[in-house]
Amino acid sequence: MRKAVKFGGSSLADAGQFRKAGEIIRADKGRRYIVPSAPGKRFAEDIKVTDMLYACYALAEEGKDFRENLKRIARRYGAIIDGLELEISLDKEFEIIEERFLESAGIEYAASRGEYLNGIVMAAYLDYEFVDAAEVIIFDEQGTFDADATDRILSARLQGCENAVIPGFYGAMPDGTIKTFPRDGSDITGALVAAAIGADVYENWKDVDGVLMANPQIVDNPKVVRSITYKELRELAYMGANVLHEDSIFPVRRKGIPINIRNTNKPEDEGTWIMEKTIQPTKYVITGIAGKKGFCSINIEKERRSSQIGFGSTVLQIFEENGLSFEHVPTGIDTMTAYIHQEEFMPRADNVVKELRKRLQPDGIEIESDLALIAVVGRNMKSTRGTAGKIFSALSHANVNLKMIDQGSSQLNIIIGVSNQDFEKAIQAIYNIFVVVRL
Ligand code: ASP
């Protein structure tokens, strides 16, 4: 078994969390390639080391004294090292960082040091080899991530390692300039390592139980999704569910490697499995619910619209000319409605309406604002009767006025439109009918 194992910042926030991670790694010989984030928050008001580094470097750039801030960061690592009773010192590393800050090494260099230093501590703690991500995660001369070169160099380098710690979040350009991925980018490094070693699984350890069936800020204690396909995950993520960054899915998906999201604080739990395909039966008809507020609908009415050739393409062309993408376009015999992001539409509204009037001579145009879209996602819906009926019934019992319903052509999701103010109530009602009542 070969596993690439990534730990998020809160899983490595202090010595106690490090010990939990250590126990997890030692419990399975397959956990050979470890990707750490920088230390995260230890408590709600705490500051992540990455944010401390950004702030510290900003002071350096302004020519202000940043040494006290840097010392504070050093003390966070010092507490971890002492708590783990390690014999290492990062003093030399902090001297180099101070020098490089004075030379204006760049904000990305600064941010990357969180993972770099945590990688050194992790490698010492586990007695694994430390592989600097700057040598194996490759960005080209323009600063664009080079997936092919990375895969080649990373797999060659790790082939020779029995065990290794590779810090997340950064890599380097050919001249050695450090580049970082977007925030939370250690997930991407973990996926790249998993792909490079041809891992059996990419384990991603966080401080949550896995992918949740609904937003916990809306639904109390939502169930954890046990297994989900990449396609389902994409639908949920697109509609706002807080899951892995798309870039961290792509490298493993391409190689057919499953992702297992686990909770460092509950290692006995299975977490969520993300796979290309699964025959695992699901307990519920739906896999999850997600949604977003902030849409508006533009309803264009014209008698016998459906028999007017080119009507639809003209509407879409007008949106295109105005740089607008649409989310959904339900149609009726005499109507066509487009759902668009309200913020994008508002500044262009007058122009769009003027063009629609001029080129289509409609009987009427109506704009409705402050709408929300909700996606009910599930690979099982295809073979289950009455899913849409249940949604109708749940919403009507909750007194929610349904404005639109659209079954995605993949039959993997049903999208519904409600007003912003009914958003939370609608999600709760749908969750209740499929998960709590389980009709
Ligand atoms: N430490 C970086 C951040 O805070 C990257 C990561 O944690 O994945 O965004």
Side-chain angles (χ1 to χ4, degrees):
M1 262 290 188
R2 282 158 167 259
K3 294 183 174 180
V5 187
K6 183 256 169 180
F7 286 93
S10 49
S11 301
L12 302 171
D14 58 22
Q17 289 300 91
F18 250 85
R19 282 190 196 283
K20 287 185 197 167
E23 263 169 45
I24 289 165
I25 295 164
R26 291 188 189 107
D28 182 341
K29 285 207 165 10
R31 295 185 175 129
R32 292 168 49 189
Y33 303 96
I34 314 298
V35 176
S37 283
K41 292 184 181 194
R42 293 159 295 180
F43 41 89
E45 312 76 48
D46 200 12
I47 306 173
K48 290 170 81 168
V49 163
T50 309
D51 291 320
M52 294 170 88
L53 284 160
Y54 278 124
C56 186
Y57 189 74
L59 286 178
E61 280 289 84
E62 288 166 25
K64 294 193 181 137
D65 189 8
F66 61 89
R67 286 179 188 82
E68 200 35 59
N69 289 52
L70 200 56
K71 272 192 201 139
R72 227 172 281 148
I73 298 168
R75 283 201 289 273
R76 283 212 53 182
Y77 286 100
I80 295 174
I81 291 169
D82 291 347
L84 297 175
E85 296 170 48
L86 297 176
E87 299 283 298
I88 58 164
S89 157
L90 295 177
D91 291 353
K92 274 254 136 15
E93 296 292 347
F94 274 99
E95 274 170 34
I96 297 171
I97 293 171
E98 187 177 326
E99 272 168 36
R100 301 287 325 268
F101 274 28
L102 290 168
E103 294 163 3
S104 295
I107 189 87
E108 297 186 48
Y109 166 80
S112 74
R113 297 304 86 184
E115 270 72 10
Y116 171 78
L117 296 169
N118 229 20
I120 294 177
V121 176
M122 184 63 125
Y125 177 53
L126 297 172
D127 197 18
Y128 278 18
E129 188 173 340
F130 174 74
V131 175
D132 189 353
E135 292 163 26
V136 287
I137 304 290
I138 312 296
F139 288 78
D140 67 16
E141 285 85 358
Q142 279 75 46
T144 308
F145 172 65
D146 187 338
D148 290 339
T150 297
D151 197 49
R152 190 166 21 85
I153 293 167
L154 187 57
S155 53
R157 177 71 175 84
L158 294 182
Q159 215 116 75
C161 299
E162 185 53 30
N163 303 305
V165 173
I166 310 99
F169 192 38
Y170 70 93
M173 286 162 52
D175 67 358
T177 305
I178 297 287
K179 292 289 298 173
T180 52
F181 289 122
R183 292 301 302 264
D184 296 325
S186 298
D187 282 342
I188 303 175
T189 313
L192 295 169
V193 169
I197 61 165
D200 296 287
V201 50
Y202 168 26
E203 283 184 359
N204 192 314
W205 292 80
K206 295 178 175 285
D207 59 357
V208 292
D209 292 346
V211 176
L212 300 175
M213 288 190 76
N215 181 345
Q217 280 158 356
I218 298 173
V219 170
D220 228 10
N221 233 339
K223 301 259 182 228
V224 177
V225 178
R226 288 285 158 236
S227 62
I228 185 167
T229 63
Y230 285 117
K231 278 193 187 141
E232 288 175 302
L233 189 73
R234 221 173 108 67
E235 300 280 355
L236 288 174
Y238 182 72
M239 285 306 261
N242 187 11
V243 280
L244 294 178
H245 193 280
E246 200 165 344
D247 290 348
S248 57
I249 291 173
F250 180 66
V252 277
R253 183 174 182 183
R254 213 175 42 168
K255 294 206 176 174
I257 300 168
I259 304 175
N260 186 199
I261 300 184
R262 304 280 291 263
N263 188 341
T264 306
N265 303 311
K266 292 188 203 161
E268 60 290 349
D269 284 5
E270 266 273 319
T272 299
W273 283 90
I274 308 170
M275 297 168 274
E276 184 61 46
K277 280 202 164 51
T278 173
I279 46 163
Q280 212 177 325
T282 55
K283 199 163 166 193
Y284 309 104
V285 175
I286 62 167
T287 304
I289 314 163
K292 282 196 231 173
K293 289 182 180 176
F295 292 92
C296 61
S297 67
I298 298 102
N299 181 286
I300 308 141
E301 200 168 336
K302 184 164 193 190
E303 211 178 309
R304 303 185 57 213
R305 171 213 69 80
S306 53
S307 49
Q308 184 177 331
I309 291 171
F311 187 95
S313 75
T314 309
V315 172
L316 299 185
Q317 202 178 334
I318 293 170
F319 289 137
E320 186 185 333
E321 286 163 11
N322 282 275
L324 292 167
S325 63
F326 59 91
E327 295 294 313
H328 291 278
V329 196
T331 54
I333 355 174
D334 297 333
T335 58
M336 179 166 173
T337 308
Y339 282 78
I340 295 194
H341 282 280
Q342 190 161 320
E343 259 183 33
E344 288 167 24
F345 179 69
M346 281 318 179
R348 301 167 175 100
D350 289 347
N351 199 37
V352 170
V353 172
K354 195 179 80 199
E355 284 299 312
L356 288 170
R357 286 222 166 93
K358 193 168 93 193
R359 282 150 72 177
L360 293 166
Q361 288 98 40
D363 301 329
I365 297 177
E366 257 176 57
I367 298 173
E368 188 169 358
S369 57
D370 302 322
L371 299 176
L373 293 176
I374 297 170
V376 185
V377 176
R379 57 186 183 276
N380 273 355
M381 292 191 323
K382 211 159 132 172
S383 52
T384 313
R385 265 177 292 151
T387 311
K390 279 180 203 151
I391 296 175
F392 281 130
S393 140
L395 295 180
S396 97
H397 275 101
N399 252 330
V400 171
N401 183 17
L402 184 61
K403 308 228 173 232
M404 185 270 294
I405 183 157
D406 185 5
Q407 174 157 26
S409 37
S410 60
Q411 288 195 45
L412 204 61
N413 62 8
I414 291 178
I415 307 284
I416 62 166
V418 297
S419 70
N420 274 350
Q421 62 181 32
D422 285 337
F423 179 67
E424 288 84 3
K425 210 177 1 162
I427 291 189
Q428 182 72 65
I430 297 169
Y431 182 85
N432 285 351
I433 204 158
F434 287 106
V435 184
V436 182
V437 187
R438 257 178 99 185
L439 276 180

